[in-house]
Amino acid sequence: MTPASLLAAGLATEVAAEGKSAAVTDWAARIGWLIGLFLFIALVYWLMREGWKWRATLQGDLPKLPSAPKEPGAAKLTMTGRYHGSTTAGQWLDRIVARGLGTRSRAELALTDAGLDVVRPGANDFFVPAVRLRGARLDKGIAGKVLTEGGLLVVTWAHGERLIDSGFRSDRAAEHTEWVKALNSMIEKNSTEGVER
């Protein structure tokens, strides 16, 4: 027999002589790791929440959102879908969280001669007067949400000193093109009427 086989045989004899196997689980170490992991996740969540609150503080100068007029008129277009958030216009990662604009929610949109009415169950509703609408386009993403090309309706509007992009996704994505045409023609009509005055 070779020295290696003698060593292996000797170890096998020792293990068999002990008569018991090693402990499979060290419960104290496992529980310690789970508690450590839970505390780490809680810390990350707390830091994210503090960052969100800090961003809202930095955007505290954003004026109160307008509400819909008592009689906005007949709706030209309506849409149900999701509101995905608002960002500073042209900066699709600069999320706006002040005044509840950072809260994703279901949304019901109605376009009237008065403007764009956004009703959000469980979140703050807002209204964009027609004179504050600046543009509409199809895009693929807004802070925290990326879709296929043209999967998102982005409406640009002025609020206070800021230009804001708000992203919506219809339950029927084929409606997006019709909304872009209607919004842009309304904006063009309002801008030419303003020049004529």
Side-chain angles (χ1 to χ4, degrees):
M1 288 176 88
T2 64
S5 61
L6 283 175
L7 182 60
L11 288 175
T13 307
E14 285 180 32
V15 170
E18 273 186 38
K20 64 177 186 174
S21 62
V24 174
T25 305
D26 183 5
W27 286 105
R30 183 169 285 190
I31 290 171
W33 276 104
L34 287 174
I35 290 172
L37 180 63
F38 174 76
L39 291 175
F40 177 74
I41 291 170
L43 174 67
V44 169
Y45 176 77
W46 179 79
L47 288 172
M48 289 171 54
R49 186 168 179 256
E50 289 301 307
W52 190 269
K53 287 175 17 182
W54 176 249
R55 183 173 281 272
T57 301
L58 290 176
Q59 298 167 349
D61 63 336
L62 192 70
K64 184 178 177 186
L65 296 172
S67 55
K70 298 263 188 237
E71 295 181 24
K76 295 178 178 184
L77 283 175
T78 60
M79 178 174 82
T80 58
R82 295 203 55 84
Y83 167 77
H84 286 291
S86 292
T87 62
T88 302
Q91 299 177 14
W92 74 282
L93 290 176
D94 186 20
R95 183 188 298 259
I96 295 176
V97 300
R99 306 288 182 194
L101 288 176
T103 306
R104 292 184 183 170
S105 62
R106 292 285 304 158
E108 298 170 7
L109 278 67
L111 182 63
T112 65
D113 286 329
L116 178 65
D117 188 18
V118 182
V119 176
R120 301 189 305 152
N124 297 340
D125 301 341
F126 62 95
F127 179 77
V128 181
V131 295
R132 292 191 183 170
L133 289 168
R134 296 295 182 259
R137 68 182 187 279
L138 296 179
D139 212 328
K140 64 179 179 180
I142 198 158
K145 186 67 175 179
V146 178
L147 300 163
T148 59
E149 191 67 46
L152 196 66
L153 169 66
V154 177
V155 178
T156 303
W157 53 289
H159 185 56
E161 299 295 317
R162 296 179 190 225
L163 276 181
I164 298 174
D165 283 344
S166 294
F168 304 94
R169 177 153 174 89
S170 174
D171 290 336
R172 294 173 300 280
E175 295 179 332
H176 289 172
T177 306
E178 184 181 3
W179 271 83
V180 169
K181 289 178 184 173
L183 283 162
N184 285 330
S185 67
M186 175 186 270
I187 293 163
E188 189 177 320
K189 178 183 169 194
N190 287 340
S191 64
T192 55
E193 285 177 1
V195 170
E196 291 172 3
R197 290 182 194 166

